[in-house]
Amino acid sequence: MPLSDCKIIELPKKTDMRGNLTFVESNNQIPFDIKRVYYLYDVPGGADRGEHAHYDLHQFMISMSGSFDVTLSDGYEQKTFHLNRSYYGLYICPMMWRYLDNFSSGSVCMVLASMPYTEDDYIRDKSEFLRLVKG
């Protein structure tokens, strides 16, 4: 899949004097069924996450608090997305190398995933990823 399939999606935001409410529904705001939810937090300053790709997993990342950067590569192009609002999320399609860094203090990254965890879906070696996408 090309990098252009990955994109920022604005989520619904309901606002009134009591605060804001945002929601995500499977196959509505995001193009997959949610099978797993996990989150990254207490990431030490200067640390990074990711450095892998997935064969089949679709993901949707949201900065629930603070900010961080997500750099994606399809093996041909690379693009960095800055996530810093809880009503915007980044859709990441399968076969996309990802690297997360620049975590602000107190940041929380929530990830909605299309599959339960399975180690077999990971590509952890970048040279192997590039071999697969470039044939």
Side-chain angles (χ1 to χ4, degrees), residues 81-101:
F81 299 86
H82 183 69
L83 296 178
N84 64 351
R85 298 282 185 259
S86 57
Y87 52 90
Y88 287 108
L90 175 61
Y91 168 65
I92 304 172
C93 58
M95 293 304 290
M96 203 61 51
W97 191 263
R98 82 275 328 275
Y99 176 81
L100 287 73
D101 68 345

Side-chain angles (χ1 to χ4, degrees), residues 6-31:
C6 300
K7 60 186 173 195
I8 296 287
I9 297 173
E10 184 173 1
L11 300 170
K13 183 169 124 179
K14 305 295 184 186
T15 302
D16 69 25
M17 356 183 338
R18 301 168 296 165
N20 300 325
L21 181 144
T22 292
F23 58 91
V24 180
E25 297 172 341
S26 296
N27 292 304
N28 193 350
Q29 289 80 25
I30 59 174

Side-chain angles (χ1 to χ4, degrees), residues 19-85:
N20 300 325
L21 181 144
T22 292
F23 58 91
V24 180
E25 297 172 341
S26 296
N27 292 304
N28 193 350
Q29 289 80 25
I30 59 174
F32 59 86
D33 285 331
I34 301 166
K35 302 289 186 187
R36 178 170 55 119
V37 176
Y38 65 93
Y39 44 96
L40 308 170
Y41 59 98
D42 292 341
V43 177
D48 55 60
R49 302 293 308 239
E51 288 283 358
H52 63 268
H54 292 278
Y55 290 104
D56 298 312
L57 186 73
H58 295 258
Q59 293 180 310
F60 189 70
M61 291 186 180
I62 303 168
S63 173
M64 300 306 294
S65 179
S67 64
F68 54 90
D69 292 336
V70 182
T71 300
L72 300 177
S73 172
D74 62 4
Y76 298 93
E77 295 180 75
Q78 179 173 299
K79 184 173 181 181
T80 299
F81 299 86
H82 183 69
L83 296 178
N84 64 351
R85 298 282 185 259

Side-chain angles (χ1 to χ4, degrees), residues 102-116:
N102 199 25
F103 287 88
S104 69
S105 178
S107 61
V108 177
C109 169
M110 183 174 71
V111 183
L112 310 177
S114 66
M115 299 167 33

Side-chain angles (χ1 to χ4, degrees), residues 110-123:
M110 183 174 71
V111 183
L112 310 177
S114 66
M115 299 167 33
Y117 173 82
T118 175
E119 183 60 32
D120 293 342
D121 190 58
Y122 281 77
I123 306 167

